[in-house]
Amino acid sequence: EPEVTQTPSHQVTQMGQEVILRCVPISNHLYFYWYRQILGQKVEFLVSFYNNEISEKSEIFDDQFSVERPDGSNFTLKIRSTKLEDSAMYFCASSEWRGGTDTQYFGPGTRLTVL
Amino acid sequence: GENVEQHPSTLSVQEGDSAVIKCTYSDSASNYFPWYKQELGKRPQLIIDIRSNVGEKKDQRIAVTLNKTAKHFSLHITETQPEDSAVYFCAASASGTYKYIFGTGTRLKVLA
C-alpha cells in the first residue's frame, strides 16, 4: 500500500537557522498538507497546497514558513529562521481529493529540535 | 474559532472490555469526522471515519456514532486487546475547507 514518506526523521538545528523538511506524497494524490504536533499536544494544521499554490493556511503559518513543490514528487516545508518554539513533530499528509471531505494520509513525521 | 473537545484524556480498560471516546465539535459546517490511532513514535493512522449523512458506522470491533444536533461523535472499541493501546485522535472538517481540526487525544491503555 502506498504511503507518505518524510525525510529526515529527526532534524536538530540551532535557533535562527533555516531548515527544510521534505515529504513525498502518495503519487496520485493532488492535495498536500503540513501539520505539527508539539510534544504531548494535539495535531495542528499549518497549511494546505493544491495546484502549486497555498489553498489554506493557519495563523501559525506566518512569514517564517513557506512550502514548495519543487518537482513532481517532493513537497517541502521551509522554516527560514527557526525559534525554540518551532520544536515539534511535523507531519506531511496528502489526499486524493479536497481534504475537508476526504481522508488525509499522514507520513511518519520529522521531529524538529531547535536548540 | 473552530474547536474539537475530546474526552477522556486517558482511559484504562481491562482486556476484553469496551472503550468509548467522545468528541464535541463547534463548527456546525463540519461534515467529515475521521478517527486516527497513533502508536508511540509513529504516524497517525486512519481507523474509521464518518460523514454527516450517516449516524453510525461499524468496522469489526470499531464503531463511530454521530449526533449532528448535539455536535457529538464517539468512538467505540469492543473486545479491547493490548494492541489497541495507543493515542486516539478525533478530527472534524468542513467541505469548504482543506484542514482537519483535531481533538486533544485520548491515551488508551488496555491492561492484560
Side-chain angles (χ1 to χ4, degrees):
Chain A
E1 184 176 331
E3 289 185 330
V4 176
T5 59
Q6 289 184 244
T7 54
S9 57
H10 192 190
Q11 174 91 48
V12 181
T13 190
Q14 294 291 326
M15 189 169 56
Q17 295 296 305
E18 174 183 288
V19 294
I20 298 176
L21 310 183
R22 292 182 166 79
C23 167
V24 178
I26 294 173
S27 62
N28 65 327
H29 286 186
L30 301 177
Y31 298 83
F32 315 119
Y33 315 87
W34 284 101
Y35 290 81
R36 79 171 185 192
Q37 185 180 29
I38 295 171
L39 189 64
Q41 298 185 24
K42 69 165 76 177
V43 178
E44 300 174 289
F45 171 78
L46 293 178
V47 66
S48 61
F49 191 83
Y50 169 69
N51 200 26
N52 282 320
E53 60 183 28
I54 291 173
S55 47
E56 189 173 3
K57 61 182 181 179
S58 72
E59 294 173 352
I60 303 167
F61 193 87
D62 61 22
D63 291 344
Q64 294 285 72
F65 293 90
S66 62
V67 289
E68 190 180 29
R69 188 154 164 82
D71 54 45
S73 60
N74 290 284
F75 178 51
T76 62
L77 174 70
K78 182 192 289 186
I79 309 175
R80 288 190 182 81
S81 179
T82 49
K83 307 184 186 82
L84 294 176
E85 54 264 36
D86 292 328
S87 293
M89 180 74 90
Y90 288 80
F91 290 103
C92 174
S94 68
S95 65
E96 191 172 0
W97 304 108
R98 181 198 284 256
T101 53
D102 194 25
T103 301
Q104 296 181 20
Y105 294 89
F106 284 76
T110 293
R111 180 166 297 286
L112 177 65
T113 302
V114 182
L115 302 176
Chain B
E2 305 132 328
N3 191 38
V4 175
E5 299 282 342
Q6 183 172 346
H7 299 280
S9 56
T10 60
L11 178 61
S12 293
V13 298
Q14 291 291 328
E15 183 178 358
D17 287 350
S18 295
V20 180
I21 302 170
K22 299 181 179 181
C23 288
T24 304
Y25 59 97
S26 62
D27 184 359
S28 56
S30 297
N31 59 0
Y32 178 64
F33 307 92
W35 284 89
Y36 285 83
K37 175 182 179 182
Q38 187 179 28
E39 296 178 66
L40 189 63
K42 297 194 175 179
R43 74 185 76 201
Q45 297 259 27
L46 178 78
I47 55 171
I48 197 166
D49 57 9
I50 192 166
R51 299 184 187 278
S52 59
N53 58 346
V54 175
E56 183 173 357
K57 184 176 178 181
K58 192 173 181 180
D59 182 4
Q60 299 182 357
R61 296 186 297 107
I62 295 172
V64 57
T65 58
L66 172 65
N67 182 332
K68 281 192 66 179
T69 303
K71 297 185 195 170
H72 288 165
F73 58 114
S74 299
L75 177 71
H76 304 253
I77 306 173
T78 59
E79 301 172 23
T80 53
Q81 301 166 2
E83 51 265 38
D84 294 330
S85 296
V87 178
Y88 291 81
F89 289 97
C90 63
S93 67
S95 58
T97 72
Y98 295 82
K99 65 188 176 194
Y100 287 175
I101 305 296
F102 280 88
T104 47
T106 296
R107 181 172 301 281
L108 174 65
K109 296 180 185 176
V110 180
L111 308 170

